[in-house]
Structure formats: structure tokens, C-alpha cells
Amino acid sequence: LRRRNQNTLSRQFPFTPKICHHHKAFESPHPFRCLYAMADSSDLLMEDIYHPEVDVEYLEGYVPGGYHPTLIGDTFCSGRYTVVHKLGFGGYSTIWLAWDQQRRRYVSLKILTARASPDSHEGEVLHYLMKSDHTHSGKRFIPQLLDQFSFHGPNGHHRCLVGEPAGGSIAQSKEDSTNFMFPPDAARSTAAQLLLGLSYLHANGVCHGGEDN
């Protein structure tokens, strides 16, 4: 029963939550619960406890309107895209590395939450930027939109943006650097690329903003 419950959980969510073990803990068949005995009582108590993994989206996001439960090996668009690895997540999407059977190359799949999908204009903005000024030096720093599609899942209707896989984040690269600092040449190059990309956005009447902007 324990193995079947855990397998069912792994099919629904792309990670395995940690199981809490209190003092004098007993094994529980429920993957989210642990049994423990109080010092002044022989009665067993059951408590729902969940500890999220580091750098993983919250389990509570996998609800109607939230994230789409994606697993390695899942396919989209009639088998065209096959998920091979997880790249990251954000407040309204998860990002996956996938193999494109048609282009014979790796791509990124940005799967938006069902709640964010209807109001998202990210695909339209990226498509517009691809067709804009080809002479601007900052255009090469803007991610390309290769494809986009929608699909229905257990948590609702999701939009998916297909793009080119990018490198690691600046924040992570900084943490991996000596003394948490970039070498001067790397810092200047990174800043220049960011400013050129930002200049291209502004030249085409586009600005970056949050959900409230």
C-alpha cells in the first residue's frame, strides 16, 4: 500500500516531498503524514506535515488553476515534444528541457499555470520582437519564440511557450563565483549584454514589468 501511494504521488507531482519524522515516529502508509506518541499518552496522533524541497515550487501550486503536473518522458503536441529534464520554475510557470522530434534539437517548454494562461501576452510580445528591427545590436540577446500551443490538463487549460534553452541564471553564476563576485571582465560583459537587450526592448516600445504593471 505504501509503495502504491508513493507511485501515485510521483505521477501527480514532479518531485517527492520530504516526510517528517517526529520523536518516537512510526512508519505511516500516508506519504504526507507521520504517527507519533505523546509523552503523557499512549494514543497515536496523526498530523499533516509537508516540508518543501529547496529550489522547488510549492506543492500547493498543483491545484486547479495552478501548475500542470509534468513528468520526465511526458509528450506534447501529438508526440512532437518529449520532456527530458526540468530547467526551473517561476511564480506562474515551470520550464522543461524537451526534445523536438520535428526540428531534431533540444528546446525549452515554458508551461504557464492555468490561472495565468488566459491573460498572458508573453508569446505575442516575443513574436513581435522577433519581427522587429534586425539591425539593432541588442536583438540577439532576446529569447526566440520557436512555437506556442495550448493543452488541457487536470488543473485547467495551459499555454506553453517553446523557445531555445538558455544558460544558467546570473544569480546562480554569481553564487558559484569566487567570493560571490564576478571577475571584472565578466561583470562588464554581463552588464553590457543586459543593457543592449533592454535597449532593444525600449526601442520597440516594450518594457519589462511585474503582474501589477
Side-chain angles (χ1 to χ4, degrees):
L1 177 60
R2 183 177 177 82
R3 182 178 295 112
R4 184 168 65 248
N5 285 345
Q6 290 180 334
N7 288 342
T8 300
L9 177 70
S10 65
R11 284 297 305 172
Q12 293 176 341
F13 306 109
F15 61 93
T16 303
K18 291 181 178 178
I19 306 303
C20 168
H21 294 285
H22 287 277
H23 180 60
K24 296 183 180 180
F26 297 89
E27 208 173 308
S28 169
H30 196 291
F32 292 109
R33 294 177 176 174
C34 56
L35 301 176
Y36 62 96
M38 300 295 292
D40 57 348
S41 174
S42 60
D43 295 333
L44 294 178
L45 300 178
M46 183 170 289
E47 182 177 336
D48 291 319
I49 296 181
Y50 162 66
H51 293 291
E53 297 281 355
V54 177
D55 295 329
V56 174
E57 64 273 18
Y58 286 115
L59 177 69
E60 290 82 357
Y62 286 88
V63 295
Y67 298 115
H68 173 69
T70 307
L71 297 176
I72 305 300
D74 284 355
T75 60
F76 296 93
C77 283
S78 301
R80 175 176 176 177
Y81 302 110
T82 302
V83 176
V84 298
H85 186 68
K86 185 176 182 182
L87 296 177
F89 70 97
Y92 69 100
S93 66
T94 54
I95 301 92
W96 303 83
L97 183 68
W99 177 253
D100 184 347
Q101 299 284 0
Q102 190 174 108
R103 290 190 175 92
R104 308 301 298 173
R105 56 166 293 183
Y106 288 106
V107 297
S108 66
L109 301 182
K110 184 174 184 178
I111 304 177
L112 277 60
T113 62
R115 188 178 297 105
S117 292
D119 300 324
S120 174
H121 301 288
E122 184 175 352
E124 288 78 2
V125 171
L126 289 174
H127 182 75
Y128 165 73
L129 291 173
M130 289 175 57
K131 303 297 183 182
S132 298
D133 187 6
H134 295 275
T135 62
H136 196 292
S137 57
K139 182 175 183 178
R140 59 195 176 108
F141 301 115
I142 304 300
Q144 291 191 21
L145 180 67
L146 303 178
D147 189 16
Q148 60 178 320
F149 59 90
S150 298
F151 66 92
H152 194 76
N155 291 332
H157 200 72
H158 303 265
R159 175 176 293 191
C160 181
L161 307 178
V162 183
E164 295 181 336
S169 68
I170 293 178
Q172 185 60 51
S173 299
K174 185 172 180 292
E175 290 182 5
D176 294 338
S177 301
T178 304
N179 298 325
F180 302 102
M181 296 178 64
F182 288 124
D185 289 343
R188 282 192 290 266
S189 175
T190 300
Q193 293 176 52
L194 287 172
L195 290 173
L196 285 171
L198 185 62
S199 173
Y200 179 74
L201 293 181
H202 290 178
N204 288 279
V206 176
C207 65
H208 182 277
E211 293 181 356
D212 297 330
N213 297 331

